[in-house]
Amino acid sequence: VLSRRLPDPINTYCEYYEDLIVDSINGTKVYSLKQMKEVIEKTNDKFLVIEFQSDVAPIVMKKESIQEANRRILERYNINSIENIAEAN
């Protein structure tokens, strides 16, 4: 589930997608945040296509732009890590 986002120019249009269930990234079904991270890191594609289980248009972003946005977000919001993924007990 895409649950939250920190506002940045790269995601200004993504507010509509909050609380929707991610179905796949670049055609690969995702079942956990850990797997989602792995798919994003391992893709050699220039674009990420995030599809949802709902009948909505996918999010399409340049992978290079995401990396730049991550740096901006870390600095703007004074946070140490762009992610907080932990295994459930």
Side-chain angles (χ1 to χ4, degrees):
V1 175
L2 182 62
S3 59
R4 288 193 295 177
R5 66 182 176 84
L6 295 174
D8 183 78
I10 197 169
N11 63 29
T12 54
Y13 67 93
C14 293
E15 184 175 328
Y16 175 77
Y17 295 90
E18 288 182 14
D19 297 322
L20 296 182
I21 299 171
V22 174
D23 185 56
S24 64
I25 298 178
N26 290 12
T28 301
K29 294 271 190 189
V30 291
Y31 301 98
S32 68
L33 290 175
K34 181 180 177 184
Q35 182 196 13
M36 183 176 179
K37 178 184 179 224
E38 291 170 359
V39 169
I40 291 170
E41 288 176 348
K42 291 180 182 178
T43 188
N44 292 323
D45 297 332
K46 291 183 179 182
F47 291 88
L48 290 180
V49 180
I50 304 170
E51 299 199 57
F52 297 86
Q53 290 184 2
S54 302
D55 187 25
V56 296
I59 294 174
V60 179
M61 296 181 175
K62 288 177 72 172
K63 189 171 180 183
E64 180 181 294
S65 297
I66 294 169
Q67 294 164 345
E68 294 168 6
N70 284 345
R71 285 189 287 277
R72 279 194 311 269
I73 290 168
L74 287 170
E75 186 176 320
R76 180 178 297 137
Y77 296 99
N78 196 30
I79 54 177
N80 297 324
S81 177
I82 203 69
E83 62 193 42
N84 185 10
I85 301 173
E87 292 292 321
N89 292 334

